[in-house]
Amino acid sequence: MNALWLLLAGALCAAAGGELFVRGTVGLARWARVAPGIVAATVVAFATSSPELSVSVNSALAGNPEVALGDALGSNVVNVALILGLAVAVAAIQSPRQRVRREFSVALLVPLATAGLCQDGTLSQLDGLVMLAVFVGWLVATAREARRTRSAAGRVLGAQHRWAIVLSCLAGLALLVAAGRLIVVGALGLAADFSVDAFIVGATLVAVGTSIPELATAVVAQLRGHEEVGLGAVLGSNIFNGLFIVGTAATLHPIAVAWRDVALALGFGVVALLAAYPEHSGLIARWRAAPLLGLYALYVVAIWRM
């Protein structure tokens, strides 16, 4: 019963936090005169990936980095197949073609690179440092684009609104992080009576719980007509998870890789990205929701039957 109450509290925190965080993100983009999609792919993605970072650091320091790997790879499947599927079910997504395709391309390259590094059965500390270096390179390239595309118009928000933006972002993020934590604890409580492999727990239950910030942000952004924020947060979060989160965990503690488990999560992650890849115009139509959600259901069944 306590676990169910934790899940309910987590859902309520996610709804409230998502509303505040999206409002703050859009305000921050206008304040900085930067496209909302760029803010979402960097600042928002890093913020919403904070639960995965917490799981990564804690599990690696505890000598069980497999949970971190399962959480990061599973979260990437959740982000695209489940979260983006639900967001597209609400409304089609239309974003700038060039930026979206670049982020999709990077998100597709990350699991392929991870598969290559895992071939020897271990993600070593050197592998982790390589991932972190690639992540820094992507972040620098994105920051340069933000500077190039920055609007020449004057700031559209007065100084009296800036604290409101910051407080909205911080309050929303705090609620989202709390939601992720509550749902993780509740989900693990429900699964406590079952003997389940650490990677599988990380790739399913923990992955869904730590992806609650992205879920709330994407769905609320769709409902408020800011679809570029939701899509940017999902794609940026995948890049953060695959490079920064896994790289940090491997740098702190080498990760022994069960290739069958990892291949399944990586494979579903790539297929989900291909299924969501936008049309030539940059549109992700509503019909994409059905195959994406079906793919996530298939992933859950496959990983629990392994």
Side-chain angles (χ1 to χ4, degrees):
M1 181 60 70
N2 288 336
L4 292 175
W5 280 112
L6 288 173
L7 290 173
L8 178 59
L12 293 174
C13 285
E19 176 70 23
L20 288 171
F21 199 54
V22 168
R23 288 185 181 183
T25 298
V26 174
L28 181 63
R30 291 173 178 168
W31 177 14
R33 292 174 286 161
V34 174
I38 294 179
V39 174
T42 52
V43 178
V44 175
F46 182 80
T48 57
S49 291
S50 57
E52 285 91 344
L53 179 60
S54 176
V55 169
S56 172
V57 172
N58 289 328
S59 61
L61 292 177
N64 193 20
E66 292 76 18
V67 171
L69 181 62
D71 178 32
L73 299 185
S75 291
N76 282 359
V77 179
V78 172
N79 284 346
V80 180
L82 178 61
I83 295 175
L84 194 55
L86 290 173
V88 173
V90 173
I93 295 177
Q94 179 70 62
S95 289
R97 182 177 60 187
Q98 182 177 1
R99 185 183 310 129
V100 170
R101 289 192 171 182
R102 186 196 62 204
E103 303 302 345
F104 262 100
S105 298
V106 175
L108 277 168
L109 287 175
V110 170
L112 297 177
T114 303
L117 293 174
C118 290
Q119 286 295 326
D120 60 357
T122 303
L123 275 175
S124 65
Q125 291 177 316
L126 179 59
D127 293 334
L129 291 173
V130 169
M131 288 180 159
L132 292 176
V134 174
F135 170 75
V136 171
W138 168 78
L139 198 59
V140 169
T142 303
R144 286 179 175 174
E145 183 194 0
R147 291 185 62 183
R148 288 196 305 268
T149 60
R150 193 177 188 193
S151 171
R155 298 186 189 276
V156 297
L157 296 177
Q160 69 274 18
H161 293 154
R162 294 175 185 175
W163 281 110
I165 294 172
V166 173
L167 289 175
S168 182
C169 287
L170 292 177
L173 178 60
L175 286 170
L176 290 174
V177 172
R181 179 60 179 168
L182 288 169
I183 290 174
V184 167
V185 173
L188 292 177
L190 291 177
D193 295 333
F194 299 92
S195 179
V196 182
D197 180 76
F199 180 90
I200 294 177
V201 172
T204 53
L205 297 176
V206 179
V208 170
T210 56
S211 293
I212 288 299
E214 289 90 342
L215 174 60
T217 300
V219 172
V220 172
Q222 285 292 92
L223 293 173
R224 296 291 177 264
H226 301 296
E227 63 270 13
E228 190 179 355
V229 171
L231 181 60
V234 166
L235 296 178
S237 180
N238 268 36
I239 296 170
F240 269 84
N241 290 342
L243 293 176
F244 184 70
I245 304 298
V246 175
T248 298
T251 301
L252 292 174
H253 192 291
I255 304 175
V257 176
W259 178 242
R260 185 181 64 172
D261 296 348
V262 170
L264 185 65
L266 289 174
F268 269 92
V270 170
V271 172
L273 284 166
L274 292 174
Y277 200 84
E279 300 172 10
H280 182 73
S281 63
L283 177 70
I284 304 177
R286 292 186 69 181
W287 67 264
R288 304 285 189 101
L292 285 171
L293 295 174
L295 187 66
Y296 179 71
L298 183 61
Y299 165 74
V300 172
V301 171
I303 202 165
W304 278 92
R305 285 189 173 182
M306 284 177 21

